[in-house]
Amino acid sequence: MQRLLGLLVLAAMFLALPAAHAQLRVDISGTGAQQYPIAIADFSDDPAGREISQIIRADLSRTGQFRLISTGASQPRSGDEINFAEWRDRGADTLAYGTVTQAGGRYEVRYHLVDTVLASQLDAAVYSGTAPELRRIAHQIADRIYEKITGVRGVFSTRLAYVLKQGSTYELQIADADGQNPRVALRSREPIISPTWSPDGKKLAYVSFESGKPVVYSHTLATRDRHAVANYKGSNSAPAWSPDGNQLAVVLTRDGLSQIYMVNADGSNLRRVTRSPLIDTEPVFAPDGQSLYFTSDRAGSPQIYQVNLDGSNTRRVTFNGNYNISPRVSPDGRRLLYISRREGGFRVAMLDLASGTETLLTNGSDDQSPSFSPNGQQVLYAAVNGGRGVLSAVSSDGRVRQTLSVLNGEVREPTWGPFPQ
């Protein structure tokens, strides 16, 4: 009991330390099947305007779907200053420009996007915020540009969650989608695993060992309040939120081997889903909330299965290879990610659920914890680079790769957050 109290006090002390000091570094390789040529002018000559433009350029560049055209000395701030023929000759099909003004400690950011071929405006918006909010505003502008040009909603304003291990300390961190602006949600001397976002992005569920055994917690990010969702005898692990955020699937050993249960988000109304003589684990909801995908060794080796929430109609989903684990479903429910053992390595695979076509997205030796971006265009996962854990991302067609590494720690268990609400 004294050890338990000591660990809880230690965890509470760690909760009071929100700042993270390690910024992630991003390395990019590959290009998309189609690249859109775009020029992005500096929004002003001061640091604020240049920072906004630099963030927008970096966001679009990371996708591999945009080819940035240099603006050179031309930095238009209004439509009257734009010579459309000149920008077409430079090779830019679109041009983004704007202004930044400051008054009373707040900034007003005006943004415009024009089609140089049609000589017409595609988009415009006005934002207001403080200096610390300029990065968020830049991501929002990049999201608008991405959607206007590609027709797909951008994810630059979303967030990532991951576990950073530094020495004997574990930190559950939240960062922007570009790896910048990391913040600590939880710091502990005991392992933290399996973080997962609630559908509204306001909470994380995760497993903490601070009480001496694995316990599933729900953690409200804004208030830092948290409560145990599953703290039964034995192991409590692998939480997954239902699409409406009212329930979680968890894995418990309270009745023997690991089996899947459902529980309300407040920890009430526990009920069992699977009843097999072997291990069932790693549940994840289908987008319609009517079934779960999960990992089981009931066929003699780990494979992915699907089951209705009442435990009926269990069916096998993966058949390629003899080791497939860690399922994750695309937002549209059409594709399934998982880790597959191939040629002695663990790689991220993607399965088209309608056709059964499988694609290997990565070629690492120990890739883990795949997670779709909320628009389904990218996949986040944990990889090993230089003998230590890093965050990596790959486009869903496998053409563009990113590595997000931190200099003084190992990154594990990444998960991509939902669209902001």
Side-chain angles (χ1 to χ4, degrees):
M1 179 60 71
Q2 286 181 336
R3 181 175 183 271
L4 172 58
L5 290 174
L7 286 169
L8 292 176
V9 170
L10 181 62
M13 292 173 61
F14 284 145
L15 282 170
L17 301 172
H21 302 291
Q23 296 283 340
L24 289 166
R25 186 184 69 245
V26 182
D27 300 310
I28 310 164
S29 63
T31 59
Q34 179 177 4
Q35 284 196 304
Y36 303 94
I38 184 173
I40 301 168
D42 288 344
F43 278 38
S44 67
D45 291 328
D46 59 20
R50 288 193 293 270
E51 178 189 20
I52 288 172
S53 300
Q54 288 168 359
I55 292 171
I56 295 170
R57 294 182 191 114
D59 281 347
L60 298 177
S61 293
R62 285 199 316 278
T63 68
Q65 296 176 258
F66 290 81
R67 179 165 56 87
L68 295 181
I69 305 300
S70 173
T71 57
S74 299
Q75 304 293 342
R77 305 281 157 72
S78 71
D80 295 338
E81 300 176 22
I82 298 174
N83 183 327
F84 289 103
E86 176 188 348
W87 289 104
R88 288 196 300 270
D89 291 343
R90 291 190 185 193
D93 288 350
T94 53
L95 167 67
Y97 67 95
T99 60
V100 179
T101 56
Q102 182 183 9
R106 295 188 65 81
Y107 291 84
E108 182 182 83
V109 181
R110 293 182 175 270
Y111 138 79
H112 299 268
L113 179 68
V114 295
D115 184 320
T116 65
V117 178
L118 299 178
S120 62
Q121 180 166 279
L122 295 174
D123 192 26
V126 180
Y127 297 89
S128 177
T130 62
E133 294 175 310
L134 291 179
R135 173 171 287 275
R136 173 182 57 80
I137 291 172
H139 289 319
Q140 290 174 332
I141 293 173
D143 282 336
R144 293 184 69 109
I145 294 172
Y146 185 89
E147 185 169 6
K148 284 294 178 181
I149 294 178
T150 70
V152 177
R153 187 174 178 181
V155 295
F156 309 117
S157 298
T158 60
R159 295 179 294 173
L160 315 177
Y162 52 89
V163 176
L164 177 65
K165 185 176 186 294
Q166 296 177 301
S168 60
T169 299
Y170 297 83
E171 293 181 349
L172 176 58
Q173 292 196 359
I174 313 296
D176 295 346
D178 60 358
Q180 301 302 304
N181 195 29
R183 303 286 293 174
V184 176
L186 176 68
R187 187 176 290 137
S188 176
R189 295 292 183 185
E190 303 296 332
I192 304 166
I193 62 173
S194 304
T196 180
W197 291 89
S198 64
D200 61 7
K202 296 179 180 179
K203 300 177 181 179
L204 282 172
Y206 53 83
V207 178
S208 173
F209 286 73
E210 66 199 56
S211 65
K213 71 168 189 176
V215 176
V216 176
Y217 289 90
S218 174
H219 186 127
T220 302
L221 296 174
T223 64
R224 308 183 72 81
D225 293 332
R226 65 176 187 153
H227 65 273
V229 174
N231 186 12
Y232 298 94
K233 69 175 183 179
S235 173
N236 307 267
S237 63
W241 293 90
S242 62
D244 61 10
N246 294 327
Q247 305 176 84
L248 290 103
V250 294
V251 175
L252 309 177
T253 61
R254 54 172 284 171
D255 298 315
L257 291 175
S258 295
Q259 295 289 287
I260 298 170
Y261 295 73
M262 295 281 292
V263 64
N264 291 349
D266 62 3
S268 64
N269 192 23
L270 182 72
R271 58 268 192 206
R272 188 167 174 174
V273 177
T274 61
R275 296 180 179 275
S276 74
L278 296 172
I279 294 174
D280 296 337
T281 187
E282 297 185 315
V284 62
F285 280 86
D288 63 7
Q290 301 302 305
S291 63
L292 293 168
Y293 292 90
F294 66 99
T295 304
S296 178
D297 62 354
R298 60 183 65 191
S301 66
Q303 297 292 341
I304 310 300
Y305 293 79
Q306 189 176 13
V307 63
N308 294 343
L309 297 188
D310 62 3
S312 65
N313 192 23
T314 302
R315 55 272 193 198
R316 184 170 167 177
V317 177
T318 55
F319 293 91
N320 295 326
N322 60 8
Y323 187 99
N324 298 297
I325 64 171
S326 303
R328 291 294 183 271
V329 193
S330 63
D332 61 10
R334 297 178 179 177
R335 294 164 294 162
L336 185 74
L337 290 176
Y338 48 93
I339 297 298
S340 186
R341 184 171 61 197
R342 303 293 171 88
E343 299 177 354
F346 296 92
R347 303 176 180 177
V348 178
M350 184 173 68
L351 180 70
D352 185 299
L353 291 170
S355 68
T357 301
E358 183 190 64
T359 304
L360 293 177
L361 296 179
T362 70
N363 57 5
S365 61
D366 191 15
D367 299 332
Q368 301 176 15
S369 304
S371 173
F372 272 109
S373 63
N375 65 2
Q377 299 298 298
Q378 298 179 65
V379 174
L380 183 70
Y381 63 99
V384 176
N385 189 341
R388 61 189 181 90
V390 299
L391 289 185
S392 290
V394 60
S395 58
S396 58
D397 62 5
R399 295 177 62 97
V400 184
R401 302 179 185 277
Q402 304 174 39
T403 299
L404 298 85
S405 58
V406 66
L407 298 178
N408 56 345
E410 290 193 27
V411 183
R412 305 174 176 179
E413 307 267 356
T415 179
W416 207 313
F419 286 118
Q421 297 186 359

